[in-house]
Amino acid sequence: MFLRIFTATACAAAIAGCTAYSGPTRTTDIVTLSNGSQAYRVQCLGLLESSKACMDEVKRICGDKPATRVSSIDHITSDLKSENDPREITFQCSTPVVQQPIPPAPAAVVTPVAAPLVAPAPVHHAPVRKITLQGDATFAVGSATLTPFATAKLDDFVAANQGVDVDRLTIAGYTDSTGSAELNNRLSAARARSVQGYLATAGLRASAWDVQGYGSASPVAPNKTAIGRAKNRRVEIQVDGK
C-alpha cells in the first residue's frame, strides 16, 4: 500500500492540475501535464474491477483515435509484486495519421513523329504550240503597240513553254485589205517584231526566229464586214521543237 501511494504521488507530481468525473466502476480525470498539454486519467480501483475496465474506458473516450499512454500504475499484490494489471492509466487521444494516397505517375507523353514532307512531283504542262493575237483588242488601230490584253496572252504563252527546247519560233503579222499594200506590209511586219521583242524580254528562247509581215495576204474572213476585217488583223505565233 505504501508503494502504491508513493507511485500515485509521483505521478501526481508530473500533473499540474486535474478535473475529475466518475462512473459506478471507475474514475476519469482530465489532467494538465507538466508540459501544459491536457490528458485523460482513468482509475479502476474497485475490488471487482480489472485493467480491462480501464482499457474499455480509454477506448470509449478516444473512439477511433489511437490512444497514447503517458503513464500507468500497476496493481500490486500483497507481496509487493506487480501483476501487470494497470488500474490507473494516463493517456492522450492522438489524431490518426491519414495515409495520403500516392498519386499515379503521369502518363508518358508520346510526341508523334511527323511524317517527312514529300515534295509534290512537278506538274508538266503540255506546251502551247500556237496562239493568235487577233482584232483591235491586241493593237490600237494603225499601231504596233501591244495592249495589256495582248501582253497578258503572251505571258501565258511564255509560261506554258518554259523548259521547252524551241527549235524555231514563227511570228507572222497580217492586216485587213484597207489601206495600201505598202502600208499594210510595213504595219504587219512592225506588229510581228513587236511580238518578238516582248517574247524575248519575257524569257522565251528559240534556236531560230522567223518574223515576217505579210500585209493583207491570206485572209481568214471576208474583208467586206467589220467583223471579218477585225479577224484578218492578227499576229500568229507558233513554236516548233520538243
Side-chain angles (χ1 to χ4, degrees):
M1 184 66 180
F2 172 79
L3 179 60
R4 174 170 177 77
I5 295 173
F6 176 79
T7 307
T9 303
C11 180
I15 300 173
C18 66
T19 301
Y21 59 95
S22 301
T25 62
R26 44 85 190 139
T27 301
T28 302
D29 300 325
I30 299 176
V31 299
T32 302
L33 302 180
S34 58
N35 62 3
S37 63
Q38 287 190 330
Y40 295 95
R41 182 176 60 194
V42 177
Q43 293 177 317
C44 304
L45 304 178
L47 295 176
L48 301 179
E49 294 179 358
S50 67
S51 61
K52 182 179 183 302
C54 285
M55 293 305 301
D56 289 344
E57 180 67 6
V58 170
K59 292 178 182 179
R60 186 191 69 78
I61 293 175
C62 289
D64 295 334
K65 298 180 180 180
T68 302
R69 185 178 299 191
V70 177
S71 64
S72 63
I73 299 176
D74 200 6
H75 182 263
I76 304 299
T77 63
S78 60
D79 56 356
L80 302 180
K81 292 182 179 180
S82 173
E83 290 186 341
N84 194 21
D85 184 17
R87 299 300 182 88
E88 180 178 313
I89 302 173
T90 303
F91 64 95
Q92 291 177 313
C93 299
S94 304
T95 301
V97 178
V98 179
Q99 189 69 27
Q100 296 295 330
I102 300 175
V109 179
V110 180
T111 303
V113 179
L117 297 177
V118 179
V123 179
H124 298 286
H125 299 283
V128 178
R129 295 292 180 179
K130 184 176 181 178
I131 64 168
T132 300
L133 302 181
Q134 195 172 48
D136 295 337
T138 56
F139 293 97
V141 178
S143 169
T145 302
L146 290 163
T147 65
F149 174 79
T151 57
K153 291 193 66 174
L154 292 176
D155 288 339
D156 293 340
F157 182 73
V158 172
N161 287 280
Q162 286 294 326
V164 176
D165 295 329
V166 179
D167 294 334
R168 177 177 294 274
L169 196 147
T170 303
I171 303 174
Y174 297 92
T175 66
D176 59 24
S177 59
T178 342
S180 64
E182 180 182 0
L183 175 62
N184 289 339
N185 289 336
R186 186 170 64 251
L187 182 59
S188 62
R191 288 178 172 176
R193 288 192 299 271
S194 181
V195 170
Q196 178 194 15
Y198 188 87
L199 292 177
T201 302
L204 188 62
R205 299 290 179 264
S207 300
W209 297 75
D210 184 3
V211 183
Q212 299 289 335
Y214 296 98
S216 59
S218 303
V220 294
N223 280 302
K224 295 179 180 179
T225 64
I227 296 177
R229 289 192 294 272
K231 290 181 178 180
N232 290 330
R233 296 192 293 271
R234 67 195 188 279
V235 177
E236 295 176 352
I237 306 110
Q238 180 173 334
V239 296
D240 296 306
K242 297 179 181 180

